[in-house]
Amino acid sequence: NAGVMQNPRHLVRRRGQEARLRCSPMKGHSHVYWYRQLPEEGLKFMVYLQKENIIDESGMPKERFSAEFPKEGPSILRIQQVVRGDSAAYFCASSPGTGNGNEQFFGPGTRLTVL
Amino acid sequence: GQNIDQPTEMTATEGAIVQINCTYQTSGFNGLFWYQQHAGEAPTFLSYNVLDGLEEKGRFSSFLSRSKGYSYLLLKELQMKDSASYLCAVVNNAGNMLTFGGGTRLMVKP
């Protein structure tokens, strides 16, 4: 059973370009979460999605960031017009459900560098 | 509001015992996770506590006191490979969001 897959593992963009990060949850998991980790800091929740629905996006910046989890295919985190401050590791996690003890399994992360 | 505090760094000796503390003040609580994260890698699950008390799993144990908003992770018989960051994370009421502390970077020395 493959774990959470993320690609690319490393992404370099110039200021103003778009970054598109992909996440395929574990088999059987329908809940996807995105977190951002700045250097030397903890993970910060961004968004929680189920298939075709955004459930909680309270951690998402209001502009330039969007996320989707279509019926078919991976979840996508999209950052438009990237700035240097967007440089971070972006982790995706998935779980089979929510509530007590529903562990979130993390992918290897995408390290975004904005030049 | 959400506030989770852990020490930034700790150092311990191989073979010793180390306790990593985590205090939290959150608007909701539905359990607390500890994750281990090696540099450049994904966080991996260590433990989950939702009731008060101690949960033991091999060399690692985790304790929770909900009334005090306090948890600790206890690592016994430290090995060099235990050098990593240890992340404390509180689950919100709906069970769908983790709020992480800043992580504790543990260095194990020979």
Side-chain angles (χ1 to χ4, degrees):
Chain A
N1 186 13
V4 178
M5 313 274 284
Q6 288 188 250
N7 70 81
R9 294 292 305 276
H10 299 274
L11 183 62
V12 179
R13 284 287 178 266
R14 297 193 180 279
R15 279 179 297 170
Q17 292 184 319
E18 178 180 288
R20 196 172 285 235
L21 288 61
R22 294 176 189 76
C23 169
S24 296
M26 284 182 72
K27 190 175 180 181
H29 288 192
S30 58
H31 300 253
V32 166
Y33 316 81
W34 285 94
Y35 294 85
R36 176 164 65 175
Q37 187 174 35
L38 295 169
E40 309 300 321
E41 292 187 14
L43 282 80
K44 295 284 192 291
F45 169 81
M46 297 182 75
V47 62
Y48 159 50
L49 310 103
Q50 294 180 29
K51 282 286 187 182
E52 299 185 279
N53 284 306
I54 295 174
I55 308 301
D56 184 338
E57 56 181 347
S58 56
M60 286 274 272
K62 293 288 185 280
E63 296 176 351
R64 302 188 297 108
F65 285 71
S66 62
E68 62 177 11
F69 189 16
K71 189 176 178 181
E72 301 290 338
S75 175
I76 307 284
L77 178 68
R78 186 173 169 222
I79 312 173
Q80 295 178 291
Q81 298 174 328
V82 295
V83 301
R84 289 227 173 97
D86 297 332
S87 295
Y90 292 84
F91 288 95
C92 168
S94 73
S95 70
T98 61
N100 279 5
N102 265 296
E103 176 192 345
Q104 293 182 18
F105 294 81
F106 283 82
T110 294
R111 276 146 191 86
L112 173 65
T113 302
V114 179
L115 301 177
Chain B
Q2 313 284 83
N3 193 33
I4 300 177
D5 288 315
Q6 328 177 213
T8 307
E9 285 187 355
M10 297 183 72
T11 303
T13 305
E14 193 176 14
I17 299 173
V18 71
Q19 177 174 312
I20 302 174
N21 296 325
C22 172
T23 57
Y24 62 89
Q25 292 173 302
T26 56
S27 54
F29 182 84
N30 199 10
L32 186 146
F33 283 95
W34 283 96
Y35 282 86
Q36 180 191 60
Q37 186 180 26
H38 285 97
E41 297 183 12
T44 54
F45 170 81
L46 289 178
S47 68
Y48 172 73
N49 296 67
V50 67
L51 300 176
D52 288 353
L54 187 68
E55 296 274 345
E56 297 186 78
K57 192 186 292 185
R59 293 189 300 114
F60 292 8
S61 303
S62 56
F63 171 84
L64 176 67
S65 169
R66 289 172 298 173
S67 62
K68 295 180 180 176
Y70 168 68
S71 173
Y72 67 72
L73 181 69
L74 193 72
L75 292 77
K76 301 177 188 173
E77 301 168 18
L78 280 173
Q79 302 175 9
M80 299 299 290
K81 67 178 182 181
D82 297 331
S83 294
S85 287
Y86 291 85
L87 313 178
C88 170
V90 170
V91 190
N92 66 343
N93 280 340
N96 59 15
M97 178 165 63
L98 294 178
T99 301
F100 282 86
T104 299
R105 193 178 310 137
L106 173 66
M107 276 188 293
V108 179
K109 296 187 173 179

